[in-house]
Amino acid sequence: NFSDLHDLAQRFNVKCAVLDIEPETRKAREFQDAEPYEVWLCDYTDNPGTSMRWRDDNKTIMAYRTEALDVVHNMVAKEGLLEIPRRNDEVTEYARQMSHIAKVLEEDKETGGKTYWYR
């Protein structure tokens, strides 16, 4: 829940965060307004033609989901790009979630078009 997220941010001395705006948009905005550090809210599109857009006025990001996940995967896979706090329950859960995602090539049955998606 959001109070747990607040406590985690304090514990890990967060200076800036990006939070998925879905599925609780109202709660995400309340969290953004309440925190003392900069919080950006990210919404995703499945449209590969969409480039990442940052809106300073309301601290939101619109990102092509597959591209954003490619960037995160690169940070996790390459040594030295991501610093993770020492192992604890939260870090263990993060590692579990990060290891349960796969990039797959799917074909549209109607058009025959092929697109990569993270599942």
Side-chain angles (χ1 to χ4, degrees), residues 44-46 64-77 97-106 115-119:
Y44 298 96
T45 177
D46 290 328
Y64 171 45
R65 185 175 181 272
T66 300
E67 181 180 25
L69 289 171
D70 282 343
V71 170
V72 172
H73 178 268
N74 185 55
M75 288 176 62
V76 171
Q97 289 185 26
M98 290 298 294
S99 64
H100 283 85
I101 189 168
K103 189 175 184 179
V104 295
L105 181 62
E106 293 185 357
T115 308
Y116 280 100
W117 301 98
Y118 278 92
R119 300 279 181 235

Side-chain angles (χ1 to χ4, degrees), residues 32-91:
Q32 180 185 43
D33 292 340
E35 291 305 295
Y37 53 89
E38 192 171 47
V39 176
W40 290 78
L41 301 177
C42 189
D43 203 358
Y44 298 96
T45 177
D46 290 328
N47 181 353
T50 303
S51 59
M52 193 173 291
R53 294 188 310 258
W54 297 71
R55 288 192 50 194
D56 287 324
D57 61 330
N58 63 359
K59 297 282 192 248
T60 59
I61 305 165
M62 175 60 72
Y64 171 45
R65 185 175 181 272
T66 300
E67 181 180 25
L69 289 171
D70 282 343
V71 170
V72 172
H73 178 268
N74 185 55
M75 288 176 62
V76 171
K78 288 193 176 178
E79 188 173 336
L81 293 181
L82 179 66
E83 184 177 336
I84 298 177
R86 66 184 156 92
R87 188 167 211 138
N88 59 36
D89 291 343
E90 289 87 7
V91 170

Side-chain angles (χ1 to χ4, degrees), residues 4-16 37 83-92 94:
D4 290 339
L5 187 57
H6 170 80
D7 294 345
L8 282 170
Q10 277 191 314
R11 185 180 329 157
F12 293 114
N13 198 26
V14 169
K15 302 288 186 219
C16 180
Y37 53 89
E83 184 177 336
I84 298 177
R86 66 184 156 92
R87 188 167 211 138
N88 59 36
D89 291 343
E90 289 87 7
V91 170
T92 299
Y94 177 75

